[in-house]
Amino acid sequence: IAADGTLILDREGNIVQANGGAAKLFGYEAGDLAGRFFGSLFAPESERVATARLERLVQGGETAAGDESREIIGRKRQGNLASLHLILGRLDESDEK
């Protein structure tokens, strides 16, 4: 079963918005993910990978070849772990108000 979760983050890695799929995937109610740190959704070893990739995007760096999608370990609200594919991309900031 695949559940697509989408998060919108600020430059510091805090969740600004999450879709229902992300909330369900991590065991939260809709709206409960906003304000949480992105890295808190992953097991410690995966948190380092995810936050490093986010930092590269924030700094304007490119992802390494084959690094567009990476399997990592997510940590659900209840504490159990789940295998996930992480895909990060940057939104066009020219539309910000």
Side-chain angles (χ1 to χ4, degrees), residues 1-70:
I1 297 173
D4 290 334
T6 303
L7 303 171
I8 297 176
L9 311 173
D10 64 17
R11 289 182 166 275
E12 288 76 38
N14 298 308
I15 300 168
V16 175
Q17 187 176 1
N19 71 352
K24 184 175 181 180
L25 183 68
F26 290 103
Y28 289 87
E29 296 295 322
D32 287 349
L33 288 172
R36 293 187 163 279
F37 178 61
F38 168 69
S40 70
L41 299 177
F42 305 104
E45 62 277 8
S46 290
E47 178 181 354
R48 288 187 291 276
V49 171
T51 55
R53 290 180 65 202
L54 177 62
E55 183 63 26
R56 280 196 308 270
L57 279 177
V58 168
Q59 297 299 322
E62 299 295 322
T63 56
D67 201 27
E68 296 84 18
S69 174
R70 177 161 183 157

Side-chain angles (χ1 to χ4, degrees), residues 31 51 56 85-86 89 91:
T51 55
R56 280 196 308 270
H85 278 277
L86 175 67
L91 295 174

